[in-house]
Amino acid sequence: MKKVLFAMGCLFSVLLAQKSSAQQIDTTPENIMISPQKPLSVRDTSLRMAILKWSDKVLKSDDYKNIQAQPSFINFPGAVKEGAVKIEKIYHLNHQPIDNRLIPIVSHLGYSGAWNNNLYSTGLYAVAGKPIEVIIPKELTDKNISIQIGSHSDNLGTWVAGTQDWRRMPRVVKVEKLKKKITNIASPFGGLVYISVSPKEQAIQADIKIKNAIAAPLFQLGKTTDQQWFKQLKDNKAPWGELASNRIIITLPDSVLQRVVHPDSVMDLWNLIIGAEMDLAQIDTPFYRPQRMVVDEHIGGGFMHSGYPIMVHHSPTKHMYSEDIIANPEKLLIPTKGGANWGFFHEIGHNMQNFDWVFGGTTEVSNNLFSLYCFDRLMGGQDDAHSGVSSENTQKMMKKYFAKGADYTKWKADPFLGLILFRQLQEGFGWESFKTFFKGYHDLAAKYPNHAYARTDQQKRDLWVINFSRIVGRNLAPFFEKWGIPISEDAKQKVVAFPVWMPYNFPPAD
């Protein structure tokens, strides 16, 4: 009887949301309906502020009995299917803290969300407006452990999204710290259920009981069999699920997961992608935690952005597509002249960038080395990787730049122009020189954890010249200066004994 009532309650929530959508008579934060087809205009400033204020209040509230489903959930993250049945599950938490030896390195992976809490997937989904119950051992009540409902953590009230029409509610993730043995928690939007733990928290091995959620698809490479996966898909009532390995976890809608017939092949390929990026960065795998990637209708900014998780747009109304590629190995390795696969490699590359070697103008440049490395190692070359690295555009950019005289300010303003310098180094000295270069910074961080050697932009530019010159046995200072990049006299003196290097026909002849 309880199962029937639960299913009826889920259906009632959906019908209530549909009724609200049809009537559109209430534009209070509790009842407004936002969707890609009916976004909330950026001009509705007072209503947007009211929604943000309401969202902050309700997502922080522990008054689970009075949290109701917000009608927009039916559009995003979505409603559970009819017939959903609540279950009880014991999740075994196996948390290991980050190795102390990694901390100096990880602390300077500044775009990676390094210290965001680790998210442990439970394979459960909380229904919008319906509380779940979490029971933990008494000894965990003083630990830094939380329960999280929802995957889509971008706040649309900030960054680029703050200047755009909202295609979903601006905040849809609820987090509550587990301070007592039994915690009840409800979200007005629903979402996948995670255990959230600080990466620096001491080791935890514990069984956590979760009640009143529904099962959600979770494929774990090396653990989930094909038979188990197909049964999960057949029985699934949740709108979201995940594909997981020890290198990356990808959060996808059910509509995509239902088409994944070879999840092991999908995750084997993603393991290769993550492995390639970390190989270039000279970071050992498995890392202290897998990367995370989440598909979303509306993210904080860009087509995608880096972090933990990496956020990826899929919004047909805005002609931004990723779902048809992200879980399809046949499409994922087809060059698209700067399409979704370049974007995936690019954002993972951001997560690999070490602030010790990212100097002014190279944030959107040096991460593309990781994109190019993936194309070289996984696709056999850089043909059609991106129009910005085509031979034709490369020549045009260089000739235009040098015709007007090298200018560091202009160089910093054009990422694909800036990338040519690093491409020339790669063409001249190979990928192994970059691996040695990046590995050297890990050694520096371990020796000097305060990173005093690379605090200023000048120090970072100088270190590129000094360290790379020593690795390849050539004086690269004149090359950097030819591009207009300021190098100090001290740095130039440190490499003066090496023979000068310049690429052939550089700058290019007219």
Side-chain angles (χ1 to χ4, degrees):
M1 184 63 180
K2 289 182 178 179
K3 293 181 179 179
V4 173
L5 290 174
F6 179 77
M8 290 178 64
C10 295
L11 180 59
F12 176 75
S13 295
V14 173
L15 293 174
L16 180 65
Q18 290 174 332
K19 180 179 179 181
S20 176
S21 177
Q23 294 177 342
Q24 285 287 298
I25 59 174
D26 195 337
T27 55
T28 61
E30 297 91 336
N31 293 296
I32 189 171
M33 177 72 81
I34 299 176
S35 71
Q37 293 72 33
K38 293 185 178 181
L40 181 59
S41 172
V42 68
R43 295 187 296 272
D44 291 330
T45 54
S46 59
L47 179 55
R48 285 161 69 107
M49 289 299 295
I51 290 172
L52 286 169
K53 185 176 180 180
W54 174 84
S55 298
D56 184 67
K57 180 180 179 181
V58 74
L59 292 173
K60 288 180 178 177
S61 173
D62 59 4
D63 185 12
Y64 66 94
K65 292 181 180 179
N66 289 313
I67 292 178
Q68 304 296 318
Q70 204 284 343
S72 293
F73 87 87
I74 194 171
N75 298 312
F76 194 89
V80 301
K81 298 175 186 176
E82 186 176 352
V85 176
K86 62 183 178 181
I87 64 171
E88 177 181 305
K89 181 177 182 177
I90 294 178
Y91 175 78
H92 181 71
L93 176 63
N94 179 14
H95 168 77
Q96 298 299 321
I98 184 172
D99 191 315
N100 286 334
R101 292 171 295 180
L102 279 176
I103 290 177
I105 298 169
V106 170
S107 65
H108 271 229
L109 302 181
Y111 301 117
S112 69
W115 303 127
N116 291 354
N117 276 10
N118 294 358
L119 295 179
Y120 294 95
S121 303
T122 64
L124 294 171
Y125 195 92
V127 178
K130 302 294 180 182
I132 61 172
E133 184 177 292
V134 183
I135 304 171
I136 62 173
K138 184 178 180 180
E139 58 268 23
L140 296 189
T141 55
D142 62 347
K143 305 295 184 183
N144 186 13
I145 302 177
S146 300
I147 194 81
Q148 176 171 316
I149 297 176
S151 317
H152 306 89
S153 51
D154 277 10
N155 180 352
L156 305 189
T158 62
W159 200 20
V160 179
T163 66
Q164 299 173 328
D165 296 346
W166 290 341
R167 301 187 301 278
R168 65 162 171 84
M169 287 290 282
R171 293 180 58 196
V172 294
V173 169
K174 184 175 179 68
V175 180
E176 189 166 324
K177 192 167 183 179
L178 300 176
K179 301 177 182 178
K180 51 189 179 181
K181 282 192 65 176
I182 300 176
T183 300
N184 287 278
I185 178 174
S187 164
F189 309 105
L192 289 170
V193 178
Y194 302 94
I195 305 299
S196 173
V197 186
S198 167
K200 295 182 180 180
E201 182 65 46
Q202 65 187 44
I204 300 172
Q205 295 268 355
D207 288 335
I208 297 175
K209 184 180 290 187
I210 303 173
K211 298 181 178 181
N212 302 326
I214 69 170
L218 175 59
F219 175 84
Q220 296 173 291
L221 185 64
K223 296 181 180 179
T224 309
T225 66
D226 285 348
Q227 185 177 12
Q228 290 170 331
W229 175 243
F230 295 142
K231 187 176 189 310
Q232 286 187 49
L233 294 182
K234 180 181 178 182
D235 296 342
N236 183 43
K237 305 297 182 183
W240 291 84
E242 295 183 320
L243 303 173
S245 75
N246 65 352
R247 293 184 180 181
I248 187 170
I249 301 170
I250 305 173
T251 305
L252 292 164
D254 175 65
S255 58
V256 174
L257 295 174
Q258 291 292 338
R259 302 196 299 268
V260 178
V261 295
H262 298 294
D264 52 345
S265 297
V266 174
M267 297 314 293
D268 281 340
L269 177 53
W270 274 105
N271 271 0
L272 282 174
I273 293 169
I274 299 298
E277 303 238 4
M278 297 185 78
D279 178 47
L280 181 58
Q282 288 295 282
I283 298 173
D284 291 338
T285 57
F287 205 23
Y288 70 106
R289 64 184 179 193
Q291 302 285 326
R292 276 191 172 271
M293 187 176 289
V294 177
V295 171
D296 196 333
E297 167 62 42
H298 197 167
I299 69 174
F303 177 31
M304 308 178 191
H305 72 70
S306 59
Y308 182 85
I310 294 168
M311 299 301 299
V312 180
H313 257 127
H314 181 82
S315 180
T317 62
K318 292 297 180 180
H319 308 290
M320 291 185 286
Y321 302 96
S322 59
E323 288 181 355
D324 58 332
I325 296 174
I326 195 170
N328 187 333
E330 293 181 1
K331 292 184 177 181
L332 192 54
L333 292 187
I334 297 176
T336 54
K337 295 184 178 180
N341 51 12
W342 175 276
F344 298 140
F345 305 157
H346 172 100
E347 298 304 339
I348 300 168
H350 273 310
N351 279 8
M352 301 295 126
Q353 282 179 306
N354 187 322
F355 275 12
D356 289 347
W357 47 257
V358 177
F359 62 89
T362 62
T363 293
E364 295 296 337
V365 176
S366 54
N367 64 316
N368 284 327
L369 287 167
F370 296 87
S371 299
L372 295 174
Y373 188 73
C374 282
F375 274 89
D376 273 354
R377 292 295 179 260
L378 301 179
M379 302 185 192
Q382 299 173 17
D383 292 350
D384 292 331
H386 196 292
S387 58
V389 298
S390 69
S391 297
E392 180 182 1
N393 286 331
T394 297
Q395 287 296 309
K396 285 181 179 179
M397 285 186 288
M398 282 203 292
K399 288 180 179 180
K400 180 180 179 180
Y401 177 70
F402 286 107
K404 296 181 178 180
D407 183 330
Y408 184 45
T409 300
K410 293 180 180 178
W411 184 89
K412 291 191 294 183
D414 188 338
F416 282 101
L417 175 69
L419 184 59
I420 297 172
L421 178 152
F422 298 99
R423 288 168 55 202
Q424 288 173 316
L425 290 176
Q426 190 277 322
E427 290 162 3
F429 304 108
W431 287 118
E432 295 306 312
S433 62
F434 278 90
K435 293 180 185 179
T436 303
F437 177 79
F438 294 144
K439 176 63 167 59
Y441 281 85
H442 303 332
D443 297 337
L444 279 172
K447 189 174 182 180
Y448 307 106
N450 64 357
H451 299 263
Y453 51 86
R455 287 179 177 169
T456 70
D457 217 50
Q458 186 65 62
Q459 284 178 306
K460 294 177 184 182
R461 295 194 300 269
D462 287 350
L463 280 174
W464 264 97
V465 169
I466 295 167
N467 292 342
F468 219 99
S469 293
R470 288 173 175 170
I471 290 166
V472 301
R474 296 291 187 272
N475 180 357
L476 300 177
F479 168 65
F480 274 75
E481 289 190 311
K482 183 68 73 173
W483 273 106
I485 298 174
I487 304 301
S488 73
E489 288 300 320
D490 181 63
K492 287 188 280 188
Q493 286 302 311
K494 289 180 178 178
V495 298
V496 71
F498 296 119
V500 171
W501 178 84
M502 284 283 179
Y504 184 74
N505 189 32
F506 175 75
D510 292 334

